[in-house]
Amino acid sequence: MSDAQVTFDPKNMPFRRLGPSGLRVPLFSLELTPERMGVGGSMKGKVRVAFENGINMFNTAEGHAEGHSEIEMGCVIRELGYRRSDLVITTKLFFGIWSGPNNNGLSRKHIIEGMQESLKCLGLDYVDIIFAHQPDHPNSTAPVEEIVRTFNYVIDKGWAFYWGTSEWSAQDIESAYHQSYTADKLKLITPITEQCQHNMLCCEHPKKEYAPLFKKYAIGTTVWSALAGGLLTGKYNNGIPEESQLAAHPDLSKETIRDLHGEEGHMKI
């Protein structure tokens, strides 16, 4: 990576501070999932186009394609010769890639071992942001204090610079901040961002539920499904085109396809 010759040109891409941190991120980022965009050349081409147009933030998760997303993402970055300091790389922990009682969730064991596995798959020494892919309370396996302390440990070890949440409720995020400020009176590092679904058809969380958090903690957001899975582009108005992602991956999109054919889907269109 230190011999990389490709220099990042942000073009006219707007960059903004992410939440209360000093990290500057582009207005747009690219989610990398091989099962959605193909492997090898397809992902490589999309990353190159994004990078050449001012997008240097790339997101994935340990559970995407059973770990192959992180592997493919790391290979593409190396093949394209991008300088690591020019990139903002994020990944998410929770779902794991192996079966077993401790191979998912947000216990200290899985966060640490999952982080190590993700870095191994990516072929990187660190990521810029590590996300908790969802709150752990449905399984009631990890106390919030344990989660907060362990993400702080990950940061202290240099495996990530920041941590964030994904698909957490405002109450969950508030709990994480409370633990950060009060656990044994230690000033622990708080999450800097929430990764939530946000588009014209799904905006309840960011516009209403999270509003007090934005005011109180200046927490940032990175969003997924900004185009509602392509629905807002209009390409599904007259059915499912053959060249669309839904047509290419029907097994991964069963619920979406079923919804499109239902009354709710027709209302959205």
Side-chain angles (χ1 to χ4, degrees), residues 108-213:
R108 182 177 180 87
K109 179 176 174 63
H110 181 64
I111 292 175
I112 292 174
E113 293 177 344
M115 184 77 256
Q116 293 172 327
E117 183 69 24
S118 287
L119 293 177
K120 179 181 177 181
C121 289
L122 288 163
L124 299 175
D125 295 327
Y126 64 92
V127 296
D128 295 273
I129 307 172
I130 182 66
F131 285 95
H133 208 161
Q134 72 173 42
D136 208 32
H137 59 73
N139 299 322
S140 300
T141 57
V144 174
E145 181 179 340
E146 178 177 332
I147 296 170
V148 173
R149 285 182 177 276
T150 307
F151 277 115
N152 273 250
Y153 175 82
V154 166
I155 292 172
D156 289 342
K157 294 291 289 186
W159 299 335
F161 292 150
Y162 306 94
W163 76 283
T165 59
S166 180
E167 290 298 289
W168 284 33
S169 69
Q171 182 178 355
D172 294 327
I173 298 171
E174 179 69 46
S175 180
Y177 266 84
H178 177 74
Q179 291 293 339
S180 297
Y181 286 125
T182 63
D184 289 343
K185 298 183 179 179
L186 294 177
K187 291 288 185 177
L188 299 177
I189 299 169
T190 56
I192 65 168
T193 183
E194 157 64 23
Q195 188 172 98
C196 57
Q197 184 177 10
H198 188 188
N199 54 60
M200 291 176 63
L201 304 176
C202 182
C203 55
E204 186 75 14
H205 285 324
K207 286 193 173 182
K208 293 184 179 180
E209 183 182 354
Y210 296 152
L213 298 178

Side-chain angles (χ1 to χ4, degrees), residues 17-20 165 177 191-195 214 217-222:
R17 284 181 54 203
L18 185 56
T165 59
Y177 266 84
I192 65 168
T193 183
E194 157 64 23
Q195 188 172 98
F214 298 149
Y217 302 119
I219 192 170
T221 58
T222 62

